[in-house]
Structures are given as C-alpha cells and as structure tokens.
C-alpha cells in the first residue's frame, strides 16, 4: 500500500519537509503545492476523507493537476454534492480523473458547479444524445429569452454543459473517438439549427417574410440553408475545431413583405439574407 495513504490524513500535520518527500515519492511533482492543496481541501466537505482523495489522485493522469483542480471544485460545490461524491466512490474517482486530465472541463465545473450535479448526480456521463434531443433541449433553454446577450449566454452555458458530458465520456473510456466526434458535430449542428430559427424569427418581425418568384411565376417564401463543410460536414469535429459553414438562400428575385398594414421596412432578399447571416455569425461566435 502507498505510504502516503497509510498515513490516513496525518500527512497534513507532520513536518512540511517530511510530507513533501512523501508526496514526491508518490508522484507529485510540486509536493509543496500538493500539500497546500490537501490542507485547503481538508477544510471543505469533499476533503473529509483525505486518504481517499490521495489514493484516487495518485492514480490519475496528472496527480498535481488533479489535486489542484479538485481543490478549486471543492470550494464551489454544495455540501450535498460533496457528500454524494464521498459516498459514491466510483464517481469521485471519475471526477478526479477528469480533474487530472482536462483543465478546460475542470474550469467549466468551477465556473458553474451545478454542472457537476447534472454530470454525476443525474448520471449524464452515461447519457447518449442524438441531434433531435439536443435541439429540443436547446429550444427549451432559449424559447423564453428575448435579449441577444441572454440567448448567447444560454447557448454558451449549454455548450459547456455538453462539452463536459461528451468530454467526460471520452476521458473515462465510455465512448469511442468516432462517437465523440459525432457527438460534438451534432452539438454544433443543433446550436446552428436553433440559432438560425431565432435569428430568422427576429428578422421577420422587423422586415416581414422574404418572398421570391420562381421560374413558373409562383410566389414562394425564400428558404435559407446552412451547409456544414470540412469536419462538421463529415461529423468529425474535435474539441478545438472551428466550424466551416456556407450560407445559401433561394433567390435574389424578391423582397420581404414588410411589417404592419402598410408594409414598412421592406428590403430586398439579398439585404435580408446578408443581415440574417451576420446575425447568425455574431451569435454563434
């Protein structure tokens, strides 16, 4: 058994130099920082069992990062969540693995501790979601928000929530690389779908419905399509990928209906869809 584990938390109170030597022998590169983090952790509910924490930490991809990120998380989560994790050792070990593997995912939890409840208490780590589910969830989260900043905030928080779910499943070996890239691509597609719907609805409220005349002389509502290129088109997005997209609309031959009985604010189709493209790009960026 690891000597640091057999000390059963007494490492917090022994001579600092001796504690540092022991921690270094267990794989901590910055032993003094590790000891500081352990002492800080002991003041939180999650740090009630330092022996368990150390045992899982030294088995993570990076013991130093795991301990540092875990201390930050411990300072933000509720006592109820911390007690749950201490009771559910498997999930505590999963969290420490994430802390020792990804600064980005750890940062998301620190910024929004409720994400941890969704991930582990609600078992999101075992949840697979298709495009339709993602669209439905995003629609629910944005349908009652009317200011642009609020919508952008909701989209950003949902992306972080899903990045945490997808990234955790990847790091914990619960899914394949192909499934991970497909999930990230589905998330980008769902975000685009909702963003287009929101922006189109708002632009119609200001300028009316866009109509064009087809080759047979029929009046039709102009359509707008976003085409995913590159990795998005191939469902191969990774966590650092930019999305390559192309905007296409039906025709330049027409204009909007305007608003009100007199049709105020009519504009031609090119102007309408340029505005729409700019709105979408601003919101998703």
């Amino acid at each position: 058994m690891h000597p640091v584990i057999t000390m059963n938390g007494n490492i917090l109170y022994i001579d600092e130099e001796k504690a540092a030597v022991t921690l270094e022998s267990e794989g901590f590169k910055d032993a003094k920082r590790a000891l500081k983090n352990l002492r800080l952790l002991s003041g939180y509910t999650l740090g009630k069992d330092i022996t368990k924490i150390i045992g899982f930490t030294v088995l993570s991809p990076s013991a130093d990062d795991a301990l540092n990120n875990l201390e930050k998380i411990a300072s933000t989560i509720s006592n109820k969540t911390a007690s749950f994790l201490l009771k559910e050792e498997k999930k505590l070990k999963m969290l420490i693995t994430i802390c020792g593997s990804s600064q980005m995912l750890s940062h998301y939890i620190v910024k929004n501790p409720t994400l941890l409840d969704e991930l582990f208490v609600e078992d999101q780590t075992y949840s697979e979601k298709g495009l339709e589910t993602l669209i439905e969830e995003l629609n629910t989260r944005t349908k009652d928000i009317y200011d642009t900043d609020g919508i952008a905030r909701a989209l950003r928080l949902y992306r972080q929530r899903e990045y945490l779910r997808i990234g955790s499943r990847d790091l914990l070996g619960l899914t394949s690389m192909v499934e991970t890239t497909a999930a990230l691509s589905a998330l980008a597609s769902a975000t685009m779908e909702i963003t287009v719907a929101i922006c189109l609805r708002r632009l119609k409220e200001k300028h009316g419905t866009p109509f064009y005349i087809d080759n047979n002389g029929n009046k039709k509502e102009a359509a707008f399509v976003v085409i995913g290129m590159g990795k998005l088109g191939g469902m191969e997005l990774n966590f650092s990928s930019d999305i390559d997209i192309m905007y296409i609309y039906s025709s330049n031959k027409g204009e909007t209906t305007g608003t009100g009985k007199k049709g105020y604010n009519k504009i031609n189709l090119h102007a309408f869809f340029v505005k729409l493209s700019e709105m979408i790009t601003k919101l998703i960026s």
Side-chain angles (χ1 to χ4, degrees):
M1 181 172 289
H2 295 296
V4 70
I5 297 175
T6 60
M7 299 181 76
N8 197 27
N10 291 332
I11 193 169
L12 300 177
Y13 310 107
I14 64 175
D15 177 76
E16 185 170 317
E17 292 300 323
K18 183 178 179 181
V21 170
T22 304
L23 289 170
E24 283 179 357
S25 71
E26 293 305 313
F28 290 95
K29 295 180 180 178
D30 190 341
K32 290 185 178 180
R33 184 186 186 191
L35 183 59
K36 180 181 179 180
N37 281 325
L38 286 171
R39 286 173 173 168
L40 288 171
L41 261 170
S42 68
Y44 306 123
T45 301
L46 191 61
K48 284 184 176 180
D49 192 338
I50 289 297
T51 301
K52 189 181 295 182
I53 296 292
I54 295 175
F56 290 151
T57 301
V58 297
L59 297 175
S60 69
S62 170
D64 293 85
D65 288 341
L67 200 54
N68 191 51
N69 287 324
L70 188 67
E71 186 278 319
K72 293 177 183 178
I73 290 171
S75 70
T76 64
I77 61 176
S78 68
N79 290 336
K80 182 179 179 181
T81 301
S83 297
F84 171 84
L85 289 169
L86 287 174
K87 183 180 179 181
E88 300 287 336
E89 290 190 9
K90 181 179 179 181
K91 292 186 178 181
L92 177 60
K93 185 177 181 181
M94 291 165 74
L95 172 60
I96 291 174
T97 298
I98 293 167
C99 289
S101 304
S102 174
Q103 293 289 349
M104 179 184 75
L105 299 184
S106 300
H107 180 65
Y108 287 164
I109 297 172
V110 172
K111 288 191 67 176
N112 191 354
T114 60
L115 293 178
L116 192 58
D117 292 316
E118 294 177 1
L119 185 65
F120 290 125
V121 179
E122 299 175 17
D123 269 342
Q124 289 288 322
T125 45
Y126 298 101
S127 174
E128 297 181 17
K129 298 180 184 179
L131 180 60
E132 291 184 3
T133 299
L134 294 170
I135 291 174
E136 182 179 345
E137 289 184 351
L138 263 174
N139 183 56
T140 299
R141 287 171 177 257
T142 57
K143 65 180 181 180
D144 296 324
I145 303 174
Y146 299 98
D147 63 291
T148 302
D149 289 342
I151 291 172
R153 192 178 306 111
L155 292 175
R156 184 167 59 251
L157 181 58
Y158 186 78
R159 186 196 69 167
Q160 291 175 2
R161 174 181 183 262
E162 288 304 300
Y163 265 27
L164 181 59
R165 178 184 66 84
I166 297 167
S168 297
R169 285 172 55 77
D170 180 43
L171 290 173
L172 298 170
L174 300 176
T175 186
S176 68
M177 183 178 67
V178 172
E179 290 169 329
T180 297
T181 57
L184 290 169
S185 300
L187 175 60
S189 299
T191 304
M192 183 63 68
E193 183 91 12
I194 291 297
T195 302
V196 170
I198 290 171
C199 294
L200 184 58
R201 182 170 64 250
R202 293 192 170 192
L203 208 56
K204 284 183 176 180
E205 289 172 356
K206 185 175 182 179
H207 296 289
T209 304
F211 282 102
Y212 74 104
I213 305 300
D214 68 12
N215 294 332
N216 297 319
N218 299 314
K219 186 177 181 181
K220 293 184 177 180
E221 181 174 348
F224 180 84
V225 175
V226 180
I227 298 178
M229 312 288 284
K231 290 183 178 179
L232 176 58
M235 300 294 285
E236 297 175 342
L237 285 183
N238 58 50
F239 288 97
S240 61
S241 296
D242 291 325
I243 59 171
D244 298 317
I245 53 177
M246 181 183 297
Y247 298 137
I248 296 178
Y249 60 95
S250 301
S251 173
N252 281 330
K253 299 177 181 178
E255 62 181 5
T256 63
T257 57
T259 57
K261 293 182 179 179
K262 296 185 179 181
Y264 293 114
N265 296 322
K266 286 184 179 182
I267 57 175
N268 64 55
L269 294 189
H270 178 72
F272 180 87
F273 287 114
V274 166
K275 286 179 179 289
L276 178 60
S277 301
E278 290 173 345
M279 289 174 67
I280 294 168
T281 300
K282 182 179 180 180
L283 194 54
I284 64 171
S285 65

